[in-house]
Amino acid sequence: MRALRENPLLRYHLLGATRHRWRRQPWLYGAAVLGIGLVYLLVLQLTVFNEASIFATLWLALFVMCIAAPLMAYNLFSLEYEKQTWESLALTRLTAREIFWGKYGAALARVALTTLLFAPFLLTTHHATTYVITAAFTVLFSWGALLVSVGLWLSFKLKRTLTTAATLYAGQVFVLLLFPFLYLLFSGGSDPSTSTIEGVQSYRDGMLAWVASLFEGTLIIFANPFYLASQLNDLSVSPSWWWGSTDWDAYVNGLRYMLWGFAQSAMYLGLGAMFAGFAYRGVKISWRK
């Protein structure tokens, strides 16, 4: 941990680069911060006074994270190649691990900061339980961590800033919109949650339900963070008038037994660790050269 704090590359990406941008264009960045701050306060006011549900607040937070997280990692390595400074960086006393964590650590810190900025939204949601709020925070951070991990790897692999950014945003369109659309198209528009989740009556059933969703293709829907948010909302609302209390209790208990929200977060973090590992392996090989 001490070596991470003393990493000069990490300090540069967290503070140095930002300070240089402010010095070059203070009016532009000052206006941007002021505008974003005013919009933030306006949306927070709307959320608090309208007693928004976890569905609305988490959707908003995920939407912002989908836009902001790629911007935190899309140029971390590609900019070094485009400015032809990678060789100079590799020749410094920094090890491959320090170079990797200097860039990846800065991206994760920005994701954590973005998650904290949405704390007032998530903590003031209407009728949200501790389980729901904790799961919402975990999902938001882990999804952002996955995006910056993929962005870090693509930035190193593609070596082009614009190509990396385009790939990240296009990939999100495919994963979050096109794949669920294809599933619903070929399944006749049926919601896979009702029959699957109601039958889960223990944590063992929940684990088996996740394994079954992998082979049935429903994992495309269950792992979607926006679909996750809509079902997470069911854990904090009263039964719908057209559902019997027994069916509703079975559905809500099924969500809990599947560790809804936490299971998907573990998937995101696992995939993020895998892509980060790919990026670190590439940095280590290039550093040796």
Side-chain angles (χ1 to χ4, degrees), residues 44-45 49 55 75 120 127 187 189 200 208 254 256 274-275 282:
L44 179 60
Q45 183 184 28
F49 283 95
F55 170 78
N75 64 349
H127 290 164
S187 65
V200 177
L208 294 176
R256 289 198 176 95
M274 181 183 70
F275 283 106

Side-chain angles (χ1 to χ4, degrees), residues 32-133:
V33 170
L34 179 62
I36 293 173
L38 291 175
V39 172
Y40 177 88
L41 293 176
L42 175 61
V43 177
L44 179 60
Q45 183 184 28
L46 292 174
T47 302
V48 173
F49 283 95
N50 289 282
E51 297 183 340
S53 64
I54 194 68
F55 170 78
T57 53
L58 187 53
W59 263 59
L60 173 64
L62 286 169
F63 176 76
V64 173
M65 187 65 79
C66 287
I67 295 175
L71 299 177
M72 302 173 187
Y74 76 108
N75 64 349
L76 287 178
F77 282 108
S78 60
L79 207 59
E80 301 284 356
Y81 287 103
E82 290 174 351
K83 292 185 176 181
Q84 298 181 354
T85 56
W86 170 248
E87 290 78 8
S88 301
L89 181 62
L91 290 175
T92 61
R93 292 184 178 181
L94 294 174
T95 64
R97 185 187 298 272
E98 289 173 334
I99 293 174
F100 170 78
W101 279 109
K103 294 178 176 293
Y104 188 50
L108 288 179
R110 294 187 182 110
V111 169
L113 178 61
T114 304
T115 304
L116 289 177
L117 287 175
F118 279 99
F121 295 87
L122 298 176
L123 292 174
T124 56
T125 50
H126 190 54
H127 290 164
T129 62
T130 303
Y131 176 98
V132 171
I133 293 175

Side-chain angles (χ1 to χ4, degrees), residues 131-132 135 191-194 196-203 205-207 209-210 222 227-237 243 247-264:
Y131 176 98
V132 171
D191 187 351
S193 64
T194 304
T196 302
I197 296 176
E198 282 183 6
V200 177
Q201 300 180 359
S202 65
Y203 289 111
D205 292 344
M207 182 180 65
W210 283 115
F222 288 168
Y227 179 84
L228 180 161
S230 65
Q231 302 302 310
L232 195 64
N233 185 64
D234 293 337
L235 290 168
S236 57
V237 299
W243 275 37
D247 294 336
W248 180 261
D249 290 340
Y251 183 78
V252 171
N253 289 332
L255 288 173
R256 289 198 176 95
Y257 285 133
M258 292 179 70
L259 296 177
W260 196 261
F262 295 103
Q264 290 95 327

Side-chain angles (χ1 to χ4, degrees), residues 26 45 84 139 156 176 189 200-201 211 213-214 223 229 239 263 269 289:
Q45 183 184 28
Q84 298 181 354
V139 168
F156 181 82
L176 299 178
V200 177
Q201 300 180 359
V211 175
S213 68
L214 176 63
L269 292 176
K289 292 179 180 179

Side-chain angles (χ1 to χ4, degrees), residues 135-182:
F137 276 108
T138 307
V139 168
L140 184 59
F141 174 78
S142 58
W143 180 252
L146 173 58
L147 290 178
V148 297
S149 299
V150 176
L152 186 78
W153 175 68
L154 287 175
S155 179
F156 181 82
K157 194 73 174 177
L158 299 178
K159 299 180 176 60
R160 293 290 183 273
T161 299
L162 292 178
T163 305
T164 301
T167 303
L168 279 171
Y169 287 115
Q172 288 191 87
V173 172
F174 275 87
V175 172
L176 299 178
L177 294 177
L178 182 60
F179 289 167
F181 170 76
L182 290 176

